[in-house]
Amino acid sequence: LKFIIDHHFSALRMTELAAGTDPVRDAAIDPSEGTSPTPNFEATTSKATLSEILSIARGANRMQREEILRAQQFLRDWYGQEHAPRVRPSARLLIAILEKTPAGRPFDRTFLQVFGRHHYQALEPSVDCLVSRELRHDDLERYCNGIVHMQTNEITDMRKLLCRE
C-alpha cells in the first residue's frame, strides 16, 4: 500500500506535465478530468498535443488522487498506519525525462513510453501482494488484483496509441 501511494503520487506529476495544471477549473474541461498542481511542484502548461494523451493524462490524474486517498484509508483501517506520499528515486528519473522533453510530438511519444513504463513498475509489487498477502485478506486480494488489471489495460491502450502515432 505504501508503494502504491508513492507510485500514484509520482504519476500526478507525470500527468500534469502532459495535460498541464488548472489553477482555475476551465468550464470546457469535463468535470471528471482536470489537474491541479501536486504539492511541492510548480504549475505547468500542457506539453502534450494529442487529444487522446490529454484525456489519458487528465483522467489518470483524477484517478491517481482518488487511489492515493483510498490506499491511505486501507493502510489506516487494516494496519493502523499513516503514510504521506513521496516521489521515489526511480520515479524522479521518469519525471526528469518528461520535464526535459520538448512539448509537442516529441513529448507525446515520450509520454506514452515513460508513462507505460511507470505503469509497468506497479505490476511486480502488485503481483507480489497477491502471492504474499494474508490468505484471509480478501479485500487486499481484490485491491491488488484490480491494480494489475487496470495497469495492464492502460499499458495496452498506450502501446496501441504509440503504434498508431
Side-chain angles (χ1 to χ4, degrees), residues 10 14 41 86-97 99:
S10 60
M14 292 178 204
F41 286 101
R86 64 185 179 94
V87 177
R88 293 173 181 246
S90 61
R92 285 190 191 284
L93 295 173
L94 297 178
I95 291 168
I97 290 168
E99 287 175 335

Side-chain angles (χ1 to χ4, degrees), residues 26-84:
D26 182 344
I29 296 175
D30 183 310
S32 67
E33 296 185 345
T35 58
S36 57
T38 299
N40 302 318
F41 286 101
E42 297 292 320
T44 185
T45 58
S46 172
K47 294 178 83 172
T49 55
L50 287 175
S51 61
E52 294 97 327
I53 292 176
L54 293 169
S55 183
I56 288 168
R58 289 181 187 125
N61 189 277
R62 185 198 82 244
M63 185 177 293
Q64 304 302 314
R65 290 177 190 283
E66 292 172 3
E67 284 298 315
I68 290 167
L69 295 173
R70 185 174 174 205
Q72 286 175 317
Q73 188 65 50
F74 288 160
L75 196 57
R76 275 190 299 277
D77 292 350
W78 296 341
Y79 304 104
Q81 295 182 20
E82 297 289 333
H83 182 72

Side-chain angles (χ1 to χ4, degrees), residues 117-132:
R117 171 61 54 186
H118 170 77
H119 274 26
Y120 181 76
Q121 290 174 342
L123 293 177
E124 184 178 354
S126 298
V127 170
D128 285 349
C129 168
L130 290 171
V131 173
S132 63

